Each structure stands twice: as C-alpha cells, then as structure tokens.
Amino acid sequence: MNDAPSPSDDAAPSDQISVRHLTMAYEDFVVMRDISFDVSPGEIFAIMGGSGCGKSTLMRHMLGMLEPASGEIFYSGESFTRAPPEARGRALRRFGVLFQGGALWSSMTLAENIALPLEEYTDLHPAEIRDIATLKLSLVGLRGFEDYYPSEISGGMRKRAGLARAMALDPAIMFVDEPSAGLDPVSSRLLDDLILELSESFGTTFVVVTHELASIFRIATTSIFLDTNTRTATAIGPPAWLRDHSEDPAVRAFLRRGEAEHE
Amino acid sequence: MIEPSDGPSAAHGADGARVSLERAGDDLVIGLGGTWQIRAHLPGTTAVEAALESTPAPREVRFDSADLGGWDSSVLAFLQGVEDAAGARAIPVSLDGLPTGVRRLAELARTVPERGVRPEVPRGSPVRRLGWLGLRIYEGALEDIGFLGEAALAFGRFLRGRASYRRSDLRLLIQQAGADALGIVSLVSFLFGLILAFVGAVQLEQFGASIYVADLVGVGMVRDMAAFMTAIIVAGRSGAAYAAQLGTMKVTEEIDALRATGISPMEFLVVPRVVALVVMMPLLTVYADLMGILGGYVVGAGLLHITSAAYVQQTTAAVNMTQFVPGVIKGTVYGLLVALAGCNQGMKAGSSASAVGDAATRAVVSGVVAIIVACGVAQVISWVFGI
Ligand SMILES: Nc1ncnc2c1ncn2[C@@H]1O[C@H](COP(=O)(O)OP(=O)(O)OP(=O)(O)O)[C@@H](O)[C@H]1O
Ligand SMILES: [Mg+2]
C-alpha cells in the first residue's frame, strides 16, 4: 500500500464502510491478502482489477456471504464480521445488491422480483408496490416488462432488472458487480447516469466492481486496485490521480488500457 | 489450428512427426522433424523422460528444429510434456532452437497465472487415504446435521407464522406434489395391489383359503406398502425436482440474492417444500390404500371367484385403525425425509450443470435409503409394541 490516503487502524467514524486487514481464501487458496480501505458515505467506490483477481469475492465478503480467513469488516464502526445473524440481517436490509449474473429469481416476473423485498420489509399495499416496481423498472429503461420472466429477456436486460431490484428499498449502500458488462455503450452510459443521479439525490453509497475505464473515470470518487500477482491491493485513491501518480506500473497500465505511457 | 508460420512450409502429407534424441556434451538435444499435425499420431515423451533419467543427467535440454516442417499446437503439447518432465527433475529447458512462433505461444501459455493446488484425494499409503476419507465423511455428516438444525429452526418460525415465504409458491408446490402425482400413484398402487393378490393367491388357493387374499392385500397395503410405494414415487418425482431446483438457484446466485435481501433461503425455499410433502403424503397414502385394495379386488372378484360382497366384507373386517393410522403416519414421515433429502442435496450442490444433475441423483438415492431405513425402524417399533 504505497499510494494515496491509506486507511488508519483506529475505529472508523460513524456511517461508513471500513475493511481492515481482510484476507480472503477459498479453503487453502488465498485470493487476496491484507486488504484495508474505507468508503465514506455518499462515495462511489470502484473495485478494479484483472479478471479472476477476486473482485466478486471481495464483494461477497462485504455482504457476509463468505467468512474472512482473517480481518474484519465494519459498517458505521460496528463489526459486521462478528455480528450475530440478526444484526447482520438488519444491516443487509440497508443494502442493495446486484450480482454479476443478475441473479433474478427465475420463478418470478420482473415486477415480483422487485416486489419481494418491498413485501418483506414494508407495509405498502399491493397496488403501491406494483407502482414502485414499475417506477424502478422504468429507471433502468425496462418499463413495460413488468410481467416478463427473467428467462424471457436478454442478458443485458437481466442486468438492468437486477439493478432495479437492488434499488427496490432505496438502500443506503448499493453493491453492484459489473453493472455495464454486456451492455451497449449507450445503455451503459445511461446506467452511469443513473448511479450518479442516485448518489447525488439520495446520497446512496456505491461499491461498484467494474473494468470499464470510461465508467471508472466518470463515476468513481475513489478506487481500489487488486493485483493478481502480488495477491493484495496495490493502490487506493481517486482513479484519475492513480493513473497519473501511482507508483505501481501495473496500476498505471490498467488505467491506460495497457497502452504505453506517453510522457 | 495454427498455420505453419516459419521454417520450410508444411511438407506435403506423408512426412509424419519425428523426434530424435542426442547428447551434445552435457546437454540433451531434442531434434524435431517432419510435419506435426494434431490430427495425426503424435510422438510421446516417454523416450525423452528415459533420456532425462540417464546418467550423467543432462545439464540442459535444447531443441533442434532444422528438419521441422509444418507444425500446429501438437508441438506445443509435446513441448509442455518435455518442460513438465524436465521441470520435475530440475533440468532447465532452452527454447532457443525452436521456431519463433512456437516460442511466442509457449510464452503465452506460461503467463496464465497458476492457482493454488486444490485439495484432492491424497496419494500415498492406504492409511492416509482412509483417514482423508474418514474426515470427508465426518465433515459431510456435520454439514447434514447443521442443515437439519437450520431447517428445524425455520420450521419453528413457520409454525409461529413468522417465516417469510410466498403463499403462491406453497400452493403451487402442494399442487405439484399432490394432484400432479395422482396418475402415477394410481397406476403403481393399483398394480401393486394386483401383484400382492396374485402372490397371495398362489399360496392360499392350495388351502382353499382364497378369501384371505382380501386380508393380505388390505392389511399389506394399508399398513405398509401404500405409504412405501408412494414415498418411492415421490422421492423420484419431488425429491429429485427439489434438488434440481435449489441446485440451479445456487448456480445462478439466486440463493445468494435471497440472503442479500435478508430473506432466509431455509424459510423461503426449504420450508414450503417440506410442508408441501408433509401435507400431501398422508393424502396420497390414503388414496394409494384405496387404489391398492381396488387392485386386489379385481384379482379376487375377477379370477378367484370371490363375490364382491364377500371381498368387501372380508377387507373391512381385516383392516382397522391400528393399521390405518400407523400407515398414514409412516407416509407422512417418509414425505418429510424425502423433502429434507432433496432440499439438503440441492442446497449443498456444487456450482455447475453437472453438479445439479449429481445433486438430483443423490437426492433420490438418499431419499430412498432414508425411506427404507425408516420403514425398517417402524417394523421393529410396531413389533416391540405388538401393533
Ligand atoms: N466458489 C469458489 N471456490 C473456489 N475458488 C473460487 C470460487 N469462486 C471464485 N474462486 C476463485 O477466486 C478467484 C477470484 O474469483 P472472483 O470471482 O472473485 O474474480 P473476479 O475478480 O470477480 O473476476 P471477474 O472479473 O472475471 O468476474 C478466482 O481465481 C477463482 O478461481
Ligand atoms: Mg466477478
């Protein structure tokens, strides 16, 4: 960790995400070692790195779906890793998650997918829930597809519908895994707009896994770079700053699309 | 396929791949000649390995490709074999003598990052392997017990009306487990009653006691066989389906998405399936009782010349509540076991299409085994209590 403001070890101030000395492993296979970073409220935080370096794995750890080999994750200064299941459940209700594959519930229509969290955690009437579902779908450009099943729409549409579902409860923190993978440049730009808009209007914090350089530079306020070779985070900071000032050539190369530096 | 890139262009046809081995001072020189085509027969690395074993061991392995004609990825496969063999003996391999195309591709093949060694069945002494197997079984058992515990907790919340699931899901599952199974359950229990009657008739006719076929079929079906046969059918239909459904949902991250929404997959997916089978199995069992008795009646009245009235009267006299109630209870328990086996296998399925298939297979096998074990236990219990 040689770049930019590096996270300190003391307890995090309230209402933010802090990851401390996180080591992630699948049984004996260590994916990443000793990762520490903070995400402040309202930030758009990008997780970058080559394919297979462990970005999705990091997101799963932050959601408590995988247990850290060591290290801890805090939300608002409280340990999420050591929290009892009920406390974790309460924290999860404040999150919205878009999985890499969309992960829509295949036995339900798009509207039902969005309705489920609303039915679960609100007292709204079915008609109101339906209206909200329609609204969220139109935000991702899928108005009119309420009664389609996930198998009846394209991969990119599933991705967008997944984002609509993640937004169902107006979460405080959204985790999105490669929102624009499989989308055409125009739709992908519209998604970026949506993320910026949500962040600005609702103060939603975003943790975004992405490879899209254009998207990284446009939306991310801070970013972390995971390096497959060293199996650790080699850089943390605003993406534009890292591109020009990172001491790590791999990071500069990534942010310049692998092209040589012309300085 | 890779087009021949350099060296004399692909010699035409007949000239197959050749390998020659030669010691040049301390080094081993592998000469490659002829045309290498992946569809043709390829030289193995056995000879190379033998040469690497020779004493004194070569200091370095080099290549000579002066005679090499056309080549494709077969050369790379051979090269990889040589590198692995040499690597195992800590002998360096120099690629200098190879065409530049081969060298570049070999470099690319190497840059794929290697991952940690995944745990595999350890080689070595039988004792070690036995220990490894024992640990796997132990871990598996712990997992299963954990699943049962979680399922019990979720079921408790269901009974208190606090579980989150969709009523429409439950309705659909009940319909699939019950109404949709009626056809096959009818057929199998009817035929089973028929078979039971034939088997009994052969013996009983010798004593002029054909009328007791009614007792045999009635008691046999009601006490055990109706529940047993129905459970086997349900294990094949619903048990396998549950494992496949949950397994697929795991592959597509749908189960993770439930967790991320704060919804317990146990409550949302497992409990409705268990409830569906526990509700429907007693009904299916009663239905199978009737179909089985009907099967016996067809044989008795049609072939054994027992009058309808006599058959019916004999059956009602033979069958009573002490057989009927345990039969229905057994059916319910089997239903519970089948649903748990199916859901357990689905929830622990691996993340691939073939893993889902395996889960379905294991669900049926473990479901059937559980049914048979439970049936055996029930026999002992009823014998002890004299029912
Ligand atoms: N369930 C698993 N069991 C074992 N290893 C896994 C598992 N899931 C992922 N891995 C390994 O962990 C590493 C990181 O995987 P991950 O899915 O986090 O990558 P990623 O950075 O999201 O890649 P991509 O950009 O391609 O989505 C990979 O090497 C992968 O082989
Ligand atoms: Mg990923």
Side-chain angles (χ1 to χ4, degrees), chain B residues 211 214 297 300-301 305-317:
Chain B
I211 185 70
Y297 169 82
H305 310 298
I306 306 169
T307 64
S308 291
Y311 193 95
V312 170
Q313 206 223 329
Q314 189 72 19
T315 303
T316 43

mmCIF file of all heavy atoms in Angstrom, chain B residues 211 214 297 300-301 305-317:
data_model
loop_
_atom_site.group_PDB
_atom_site.id
_atom_site.type_symbol
_atom_site.label_atom_id
_atom_site.label_comp_id
_atom_site.label_asym_id
_atom_site.label_seq_id
_atom_site.Cartn_x
_atom_site.Cartn_y
_atom_site.Cartn_z
ATOM 1 N N ILE B 211 -60.185 -66.549 0.031
ATOM 2 C CA ILE B 211 -60.829 -65.360 0.563
ATOM 3 C C ILE B 211 -59.859 -64.501 1.371
ATOM 4 O O ILE B 211 -59.969 -63.283 1.436
ATOM 5 C CB ILE B 211 -62.053 -65.766 1.428
ATOM 6 C CG1 ILE B 211 -62.836 -64.549 1.916
ATOM 7 C CG2 ILE B 211 -61.636 -66.596 2.632
ATOM 8 C CD1 ILE B 211 -63.558 -63.830 0.866
ATOM 9 N N ALA B 214 -58.075 -61.057 0.399
ATOM 10 C CA ALA B 214 -58.584 -59.739 0.793
ATOM 11 C C ALA B 214 -57.857 -59.219 2.023
ATOM 12 O O ALA B 214 -57.472 -58.047 2.092
ATOM 13 C CB ALA B 214 -60.087 -59.814 1.052
ATOM 14 N N TYR B 297 -59.003 -56.363 -5.354
ATOM 15 C CA TYR B 297 -60.409 -56.716 -5.615
ATOM 16 C C TYR B 297 -60.572 -57.232 -7.036
ATOM 17 O O TYR B 297 -61.275 -58.211 -7.278
ATOM 18 C CB TYR B 297 -61.278 -55.487 -5.367
ATOM 19 C CG TYR B 297 -62.696 -55.618 -5.841
ATOM 20 C CD1 TYR B 297 -63.648 -56.267 -5.047
ATOM 21 C CD2 TYR B 297 -63.082 -55.109 -7.074
ATOM 22 C CE1 TYR B 297 -64.951 -56.399 -5.488
ATOM 23 C CE2 TYR B 297 -64.373 -55.240 -7.517
ATOM 24 C CZ TYR B 297 -65.317 -55.885 -6.735
ATOM 25 O OH TYR B 297 -66.596 -56.010 -7.179
ATOM 26 N N GLY B 300 -59.317 -60.707 -6.987
ATOM 27 C CA GLY B 300 -60.165 -61.574 -6.164
ATOM 28 C C GLY B 300 -61.505 -61.843 -6.820
ATOM 29 O O GLY B 300 -61.919 -62.995 -6.978
ATOM 30 N N ALA B 301 -62.167 -60.777 -7.259
ATOM 31 C CA ALA B 301 -63.504 -60.938 -7.827
ATOM 32 C C ALA B 301 -63.431 -61.487 -9.238
ATOM 33 O O ALA B 301 -64.265 -62.290 -9.641
ATOM 34 C CB ALA B 301 -64.237 -59.601 -7.806
ATOM 35 N N HIS B 305 -62.903 -65.904 -8.146
ATOM 36 C CA HIS B 305 -64.331 -66.197 -7.960
ATOM 37 C C HIS B 305 -64.812 -65.920 -6.555
ATOM 38 O O HIS B 305 -65.589 -66.672 -5.992
ATOM 39 C CB HIS B 305 -64.645 -67.652 -8.362
ATOM 40 C CG HIS B 305 -64.087 -67.986 -9.705
ATOM 41 N ND1 HIS B 305 -64.487 -67.340 -10.856
ATOM 42 C CD2 HIS B 305 -63.116 -68.849 -10.085
ATOM 43 C CE1 HIS B 305 -63.807 -67.805 -11.881
ATOM 44 N NE2 HIS B 305 -62.952 -68.718 -11.439
ATOM 45 N N ILE B 306 -64.291 -64.859 -5.939
ATOM 46 C CA ILE B 306 -64.835 -64.406 -4.664
ATOM 47 C C ILE B 306 -65.913 -63.381 -5.009
ATOM 48 O O ILE B 306 -65.688 -62.546 -5.887
ATOM 49 C CB ILE B 306 -63.745 -63.743 -3.800
ATOM 50 C CG1 ILE B 306 -62.557 -64.690 -3.654
ATOM 51 C CG2 ILE B 306 -64.285 -63.323 -2.439
ATOM 52 C CD1 ILE B 306 -61.332 -64.061 -3.058
ATOM 53 N N THR B 307 -67.071 -63.423 -4.337
ATOM 54 C CA THR B 307 -68.110 -62.443 -4.685
ATOM 55 C C THR B 307 -67.700 -61.061 -4.183
ATOM 56 O O THR B 307 -66.933 -60.936 -3.210
ATOM 57 C CB THR B 307 -69.461 -62.803 -4.043
ATOM 58 O OG1 THR B 307 -69.301 -62.719 -2.626
ATOM 59 C CG2 THR B 307 -69.920 -64.183 -4.460
ATOM 60 N N SER B 308 -68.200 -60.067 -4.851
ATOM 61 C CA SER B 308 -67.879 -58.688 -4.477
ATOM 62 C C SER B 308 -68.183 -58.440 -3.016
ATOM 63 O O SER B 308 -67.358 -57.906 -2.265
ATOM 64 C CB SER B 308 -68.700 -57.704 -5.310
ATOM 65 O OG SER B 308 -68.266 -57.739 -6.622
ATOM 66 N N ALA B 309 -69.368 -58.828 -2.602
ATOM 67 C CA ALA B 309 -69.802 -58.569 -1.235
ATOM 68 C C ALA B 309 -68.859 -59.239 -0.242
ATOM 69 O O ALA B 309 -68.408 -58.628 0.737
ATOM 70 C CB ALA B 309 -71.227 -59.067 -1.036
ATOM 71 N N ALA B 310 -68.491 -60.473 -0.517
ATOM 72 C CA ALA B 310 -67.615 -61.202 0.393
ATOM 73 C C ALA B 310 -66.251 -60.517 0.477
ATOM 74 O O ALA B 310 -65.680 -60.358 1.567
ATOM 75 C CB ALA B 310 -67.456 -62.644 -0.070
ATOM 76 N N TYR B 311 -65.727 -60.090 -0.689
ATOM 77 C CA TYR B 311 -64.409 -59.454 -0.707
ATOM 78 C C TYR B 311 -64.433 -58.170 0.122
ATOM 79 O O TYR B 311 -63.548 -57.932 0.958
ATOM 80 C CB TYR B 311 -63.973 -59.149 -2.139
ATOM 81 C CG TYR B 311 -62.508 -58.795 -2.232
ATOM 82 C CD1 TYR B 311 -61.559 -59.762 -2.551
ATOM 83 C CD2 TYR B 311 -62.061 -57.498 -1.974
ATOM 84 C CE1 TYR B 311 -60.217 -59.454 -2.610
ATOM 85 C CE2 TYR B 311 -60.724 -57.177 -2.027
ATOM 86 C CZ TYR B 311 -59.809 -58.165 -2.350
ATOM 87 O OH TYR B 311 -58.481 -57.856 -2.394
ATOM 88 N N VAL B 312 -65.453 -57.374 -0.122
ATOM 89 C CA VAL B 312 -65.543 -56.099 0.587
ATOM 90 C C VAL B 312 -65.683 -56.345 2.081
ATOM 91 O O VAL B 312 -65.006 -55.718 2.908
ATOM 92 C CB VAL B 312 -66.725 -55.256 0.056
ATOM 93 C CG1 VAL B 312 -66.961 -54.038 0.951
ATOM 94 C CG2 VAL B 312 -66.472 -54.837 -1.375
ATOM 95 N N GLN B 313 -66.536 -57.296 2.424
ATOM 96 C CA GLN B 313 -66.760 -57.564 3.846
ATOM 97 C C GLN B 313 -65.490 -58.078 4.510
ATOM 98 O O GLN B 313 -65.112 -57.658 5.603
ATOM 99 C CB GLN B 313 -67.893 -58.580 3.988
ATOM 100 C CG GLN B 313 -68.606 -58.463 5.325
ATOM 101 C CD GLN B 313 -68.880 -59.826 5.937
ATOM 102 O OE1 GLN B 313 -69.084 -60.801 5.208
ATOM 103 N NE2 GLN B 313 -68.880 -59.881 7.248
ATOM 104 N N GLN B 314 -64.778 -58.978 3.814
ATOM 105 C CA GLN B 314 -63.535 -59.528 4.355
ATOM 106 C C GLN B 314 -62.516 -58.406 4.574
ATOM 107 O O GLN B 314 -61.822 -58.361 5.582
ATOM 108 C CB GLN B 314 -62.984 -60.568 3.376
ATOM 109 C CG GLN B 314 -61.813 -61.371 3.913
ATOM 110 C CD GLN B 314 -62.236 -62.363 4.992
ATOM 111 O OE1 GLN B 314 -63.418 -62.718 5.118
ATOM 112 N NE2 GLN B 314 -61.288 -62.779 5.807
ATOM 113 N N THR B 315 -62.460 -57.479 3.607
ATOM 114 C CA THR B 315 -61.496 -56.376 3.716
ATOM 115 C C THR B 315 -61.835 -55.473 4.902
ATOM 116 O O THR B 315 -60.954 -55.145 5.708
ATOM 117 C CB THR B 315 -61.485 -55.546 2.422
ATOM 118 O OG1 THR B 315 -61.181 -56.406 1.336
ATOM 119 C CG2 THR B 315 -60.459 -54.432 2.490
ATOM 120 N N THR B 316 -63.092 -55.078 5.013
ATOM 121 C CA THR B 316 -63.452 -54.167 6.109
ATOM 122 C C THR B 316 -63.238 -54.834 7.460
ATOM 123 O O THR B 316 -62.890 -54.167 8.438
ATOM 124 C CB THR B 316 -64.912 -53.684 6.004
ATOM 125 O OG1 THR B 316 -65.724 -54.801 5.651
ATOM 126 C CG2 THR B 316 -65.071 -52.599 4.985
ATOM 127 N N ALA B 317 -63.423 -56.155 7.523
ATOM 128 C CA ALA B 317 -63.195 -56.840 8.789
ATOM 129 C C ALA B 317 -61.706 -56.872 9.132
ATOM 130 O O ALA B 317 -61.313 -56.770 10.296
ATOM 131 C CB ALA B 317 -63.762 -58.253 8.722
#
